[in-house]
Amino acid sequence: MSSQLTAPAAIVLAAGQGTRMRSRIPKVLHPLAGRAMIDHVLDSLAMAGVGRPVVVTGHGADAVEAAVGSRATTVRQEPQRGTADAVRIGLESLTNDVATVLVTMGDAPLQPAELYRELLDRQRATGAPVVLLTARMPDPSGYGRIVRRADGSAEAVVEEADADAAVRAIDEINVGTYAFDAGWLRVSLGRVAASASGEYYLTDLVALGAADGRPAAIVESADAEDAIGINDRVALAAAEERLRRRIAERHMRDGVTIVDPSTTRIDAGVEIGQDARIEPWTILEGDSVIAQDAVIGPNAHVRDSRIGPRTRVWASVVEESSVAEDVQIGPYAHLRPGSQIGPRCRIGNFAEIKRSSLGAGTQQHHFSYIGDAQVGENVNIGAGSVTANFDGTAKHRTVVGDDVKLGVDTMMVAPVTIGEGATTGAGSVVTRDVAPGKTVVGVPARPIELRRRHKPAPDGAPAAEATPLPSAPDRNP
Ligand code: UD1
Ligand code: CA
């Protein structure tokens, strides 16, 4: 049968307003572990092996559709007339050969793929028209309650508004995630009547099935907190904590040391190599990749960056940058977007780097700024050295060759090139290109030979020594 070969389909309900979030942002777009809530749902669905999901949008549809992009088909539900109406609209986007449909909510980002598989497997195994996901709640108020039959199958889901005291006392609730026999679902949705509120309840299908002698099967979730949807920002923070813990545990099982998971925040998209060590109070965000044996933290913040093997990032911020192996960064360094740091570099206290590359073995130990620059290998950037890259209207580039020694407080007024092996004296303001191997000093910086020529020799004395450099270039190891 071709229907057996078609992957199960999935419909994600995301048209509701999410009033209790009290937000101008659609609920399913609130971030969780660095990604939109609905992205986590789509991740789990992809892992469960369902076909391209259909997301039903309504409130904030433009924003939700933009965020979902090509990950799912989107269809609009206008107006929002209840969950049965939303599923009916979602079904219109599915082909007729689909045999099983998973229905879930865009605001249930913690549901693991295994849960979806369990529902789908149960549906296939039992042939039940619908398999309900339920949870036991200490406080079930607000949820639809599960009324079971003697054999354990479902008699009905009774919404809070329609429940009497006995039903309200039931602590087993309807999560809002289901596996349906697709053919049965198509036929039965038309039988759902409007409720007193005018909404069409998807949950009415359970009683309809039971009346036909086809009761719903039940999967009771082992972990209610993972199963249920997020309704307000208190639940959002609780979900964040759970998700963070889950991410940290995944990395630890994969061989990463996380010294203190409770003070470490790792986004869902971060990759970390074996034997890397994440010290306390560290935040790893976006699509960062941390190589093996790297040591990050304490107090490090890395976003969308690559950190090489054995590199140490201590109490520093690294954004959209790439750092090679065996580099030492910090404490108190800031790598701004577009920085590329070569192997064995040393980036020290209060060093700021932006849209610049540093070659292998280059050292920038103390309070300095390198922006829009290409710095070669084994360069020593003296304390307080600064690229004056902005002339008030435009940014200009600075090029520093290999083995250059920049004396303390060197100002490089861009555009300017300092040739390979050149040296600048302390306090030099470099406004013109420096030829390879030359030494420049002063304000503005001049080659040292020029100064020698201008210095008159004292009477009868041999030609004067060159003006001594104000100080040797900083070479703190
Ligand atoms: C629904 C269930 C209830 C269950 C609860 C779990 C019904 C009738 N009741 O309650 O048994 O305990 O979820 O949270 O289904 N949505 C749409 N279009 C609509 C209405 C809702 O897409 O017209 C979406 C919402 O965005 C949300 C989901 O469906 O993702 C559930 O809607 P919500 O209003 O949160 O749940 P209830 O209807 O209160
Ligand atoms: Ca509702």
Side-chain angles (χ1 to χ4, degrees), residues 13-16 77 80-83 86 105 143-144 159 174-175 201 203:
L13 306 186
Q77 183 198 19
Q80 289 80 48
R81 296 193 302 167
T83 45
M105 308 167 294
Y143 292 98
E159 294 304 311
N174 174 36
V175 165
Y201 290 166
T203 46

Side-chain angles (χ1 to χ4, degrees), residues 293-314:
D293 300 312
V295 180
I296 315 295
N299 287 300
H301 190 161
V302 177
R303 178 174 64 77
D304 294 320
S305 296
R306 304 183 78 84
I307 306 293
R310 297 173 302 279
T311 284
R312 169 97 201 263
V313 180
W314 174 25

